Amino acid sequence: MNKLFGIKYMQEGQYYISLVLPMKYIIDNSCVLVYGEDEEYGYQRAPRKAHYVKIAKQLLKDQKRSVSPNSIILGINQEDLIKKMHITNQQEFGGQCLLELELGNDSDLKFRIIDGQHRVKGFEEAIEKCEGDDLKKGQLENFCVNVIIMLLDKQHRLPEVYAFSDINSKAKPLKMDLTILAEYQYLLKEQPKEINSENFLATRVIMLLNKGEKCKYWTNGIIIDVNASSRAGCIGFKSFLESISLICKRKLAEFGEENLPENFKEKCKVLYDFADEIYCQLSECWNLVFEKWPITKEQWFVEGGDNVLTYYNKDYYLQRTMGAFAINKLIAESIRDHGSIDQFKEIIELCDLTTEDWRIDGQFAGISSLSGANKIKDTVMSGYNAKYN
């Protein structure tokens, strides 16, 4: 298939091309940008072998059943499209454009798979396992699917990340840790005017806290490398981000987001200063927590050939989701009500919980919701409330 037809159209200022391609062409001319492996632009998890092997087995077993009725979504920079597909003719019809195309031969340039990576990988796996069955192999290689190509500005590829996030968060149970982390990387590279200041600020705080310089007990305690095979960390990135959102919102509200500079570098400097301040407050508070309840233990993990130092202890709730939500909410309320962490210090001093109470089989066993985190917070505050109420 060297000649094909497509329709170019626009949605909300974004150009797309819809067309039909054989699976072999997609396999040979596409790639997945994996977070952590592609340092600049990775934003997806690596494909799960169990998932695509299951698709391959289905393909090899049932030749008549259609397994890919949904479109595969690809991305490419507009200036690179002509290297992959030459437009030989085009006709406009009321805002849409009918294209006649010929496939190019630039094998080094790849489309980026935004949605459908497991289907593509499943076909690739099945084709490799045809074991001399040329008829079946040909059927799989020429299996045609609808493809939507998203045309991106080389200097502004954030819409690709947002598309991935929107597609997956609405249709599948995607954890948003990955897209927030990827967005942070893209923002640092592309430096646009408009950014999600709250997420940017919270992400910066987490990056600082995870280094463990001011509070060693959080060293590599938050899961940032979402593709690591043996993940170091006791709490998910997004969970911790949500647990400090009140602190970040308050800081931005005090300053006034409308007062943030328009220039990205100047805005970034202001947000970095805020992050340093929040990081120092959190570190001081959490140091007090671990002095009160010394649950941590030094341990090492091996990740990607590197030795990774940690101090968390998963046998206790303190650094898991419920504990982090409870403690960080207390910190946020102390800062909000008193402008400092002085109240938080007194709350911890007056709390009569023991280290054993924090064990996962202890007093808070079975708690797993935000309302549960509030119950933990109220329990931690009970000594303080008894003194002043």
Side-chain angles (χ1 to χ4, degrees), residues 236-276:
F237 168 82
K238 183 170 181 286
S239 292
F240 198 90
L241 181 142
E242 290 175 344
S243 79
I244 62 172
S245 65
L246 290 176
I247 302 173
C248 296
K249 283 179 181 176
R250 176 185 170 277
K251 176 55 67 176
L252 289 170
E254 277 184 347
F255 185 81
E257 285 200 58
E258 69 278 5
N259 296 321
L260 288 171
E262 288 190 10
N263 178 272
F264 178 84
K265 289 185 177 179
E266 294 175 6
K267 184 185 296 183
C268 195
K269 184 179 183 305
V270 173
L271 292 174
Y272 273 23
D273 288 342
F274 290 166
D276 288 341

Side-chain angles (χ1 to χ4, degrees), residues 93-111:
F93 298 94
Q96 298 180 12
C97 189
L98 179 63
L99 305 177
E100 184 176 335
L101 304 151
E102 289 184 355
L103 300 182
N105 297 313
D106 191 334
S107 59
D108 292 330
L109 182 65
K110 304 287 187 181
F111 290 98

